[in-house]
Amino acid sequence: MYKILTEPVNNLLYQQIALIGTESVGLEFSDKSIREIARVATEVNRSVENIGARRLHSVIERVMEEISFSAPEESGSKYDVDDKYIQERVSDLLE
């Protein structure tokens, strides 16, 4: 899952960065946050239903929900997404 999030040139995270960038908002994912997204996606696949890499979409959607909502009002700001933020946003997926 980590490779899927980092190796393709136009990976899912790059797409989110570009999308939020249209609102003049910066977005950066730490390596730990990327690993946490991959871990959560793998764990949810294991415990709920294994839908493979498509699970990354649902995890990233949950992570980006609050950022996307507030981005238009935060023009010029920057979000640094770390592993703690990921855990806060997706903890209910692991229950």
Side-chain angles (χ1 to χ4, degrees):
M1 295 285 193
Y2 178 80
K3 286 183 175 185
I4 293 169
L5 290 172
T6 57
E7 289 184 3
V9 175
N10 292 317
N11 61 59
L12 293 172
L13 298 177
Y14 174 80
Q15 292 172 19
Q16 293 302 315
I17 292 167
L19 184 64
I20 291 298
T22 63
E23 299 288 344
S24 299
V25 174
L27 180 64
E28 186 173 318
F29 290 89
S30 70
D31 187 63
K32 281 186 173 184
S33 69
I34 297 169
R35 291 185 186 280
E36 185 65 13
I37 291 169
R39 185 193 72 77
V40 169
T42 301
E43 185 61 34
V44 174
N45 271 347
R46 189 175 307 139
S47 64
V48 179
E49 179 185 6
N50 190 346
I51 59 172
R54 290 176 294 178
R55 180 69 66 194
L56 291 169
H57 283 283
S58 58
V59 174
I60 291 171
E61 181 179 277
R62 185 69 60 96
V63 169
M64 294 301 299
E65 189 174 55
E66 187 175 310
I67 295 170
S68 296
F69 181 75
S70 62
E73 292 85 32
E74 310 250 347
S75 183
S77 65
K78 182 178 179 194
Y79 289 94
D80 291 314
V81 179
D82 62 5
D83 57 324
K84 307 253 185 306
Y85 183 79
I86 303 296
Q87 292 166 358
E88 289 171 11
R89 299 298 304 154
V90 300
S91 62
D92 60 326
L93 290 175
L94 295 171
E95 294 176 359

